[in-house]
Amino acid sequence: MQTAEQIRFSAEDYLTWEDTQTEKHEFISGEVFAMTGARQDHVIVSLNIASALKQRLRDTPSRPYISDLKLRVKASDAFFYPDVMVSCHADDLKNARFIEHPSLIVEVLSDSTAAFDRGGKFAAYRKLASLQEYLIVDIEARRVECFRRTSDNDWLLHDYVDAVDCELTSLGIEIPMAEIFEDIEPA
């Protein structure tokens, strides 16, 4: 029997195959990688952020999504499952299988994915012309790193810690750090 890591697919074959799977798999240049379950703190923080976004974006053209919907990065021949993402693009509202034009992506760090979230995944995400902000959430440090695209197409880090509000300029909203880390016990 083949494991997901041994199978090579085209993007379309991956989508067809993934629809039949009971577990989620990310896709990068023909290879698929099984996703593991998240720890409780990871899920709580992801839910806190998604809930805050849902409340603040109500009655706007922007829509938040949680980790069960795929993100396609066509320029990297990849599909990912970000913890949270927001799209304000009309084409994404019509696509039931994946998002292609997010303005915001959020990844909550875990020990097994931190290096990839900061490195290869962020490199792929930067190829999305629509992406304006990328949040990396470090639960242990109670920190949110907001990488914001500049007008020169560079990425500027805004570091949020402690009681400061996390500003999301691409969406014109703020989320208090206390709300992001609500129900998380201090380390």
Side-chain angles (χ1 to χ4, degrees):
M1 184 168 106
Q2 288 184 315
T3 64
E5 290 79 11
Q6 296 170 319
I7 302 170
R8 293 196 63 85
F9 291 113
S10 69
E12 284 305 314
D13 289 341
Y14 158 77
L15 286 171
T16 301
W17 176 82
E18 180 74 351
D19 285 345
T20 67
Q21 302 305 300
T22 57
E23 297 173 352
K24 297 186 296 189
H25 301 84
E26 291 189 330
F27 170 88
I28 305 168
S29 299
E31 293 184 72
V32 293
F33 301 90
M35 303 291 294
T36 60
R39 294 181 180 263
Q40 187 174 153
D41 284 354
H42 185 115
V43 174
I44 290 170
V45 168
S46 297
L47 179 60
N48 290 346
I49 294 168
S51 297
L53 290 167
K54 178 70 175 171
Q55 291 172 2
R56 287 163 176 83
L57 296 174
R58 189 168 275 121
D59 299 323
T60 73
S62 300
R63 186 177 290 173
Y65 299 92
I66 59 172
S67 62
D68 285 336
L69 186 63
K70 289 180 276 302
L71 166 67
R72 183 176 195 175
V73 184
K74 198 170 190 173
S76 292
D77 190 27
F79 287 89
F80 299 105
Y81 285 96
D83 292 313
V84 181
M85 60 184 159
V86 173
S87 177
C88 308
H89 198 281
D91 289 347
D92 284 339
L93 295 176
K94 301 172 195 169
N95 193 337
R97 296 174 86 187
F98 53 82
I99 297 299
E100 288 189 275
H101 309 283
S103 56
L104 170 73
I105 296 174
V106 179
E107 293 288 1
V108 178
L109 295 180
S110 63
D111 292 341
S112 62
T113 65
F116 186 55
D117 288 345
R118 293 180 185 282
K121 192 176 274 190
F122 186 29
Y125 289 167
R126 288 193 306 263
K127 294 178 181 179
L128 294 163
S130 63
L131 186 64
Q132 296 302 305
E133 290 172 307
Y134 176 50
L135 268 56
I136 296 176
V137 182
D138 185 334
I139 295 172
E140 287 184 31
R142 300 280 177 139
R143 175 181 179 184
V144 175
E145 299 170 24
C146 177
F147 292 90
R148 191 169 294 134
R149 189 186 301 263
T150 69
S151 58
D152 294 329
N153 207 30
D154 293 323
W155 290 87
L156 183 62
L157 170 62
H158 298 268
D159 210 5
Y160 296 101
V161 292
D162 300 323
V164 175
D165 290 351
C166 179
E167 184 180 6
L168 302 174
T169 60
S170 66
L171 302 171
I173 63 174
E174 294 181 354
I175 304 174
M177 293 293 282
E179 193 171 340
I180 290 171
F181 294 106
E182 184 179 351
D183 297 327
I184 302 297
E185 296 296 321

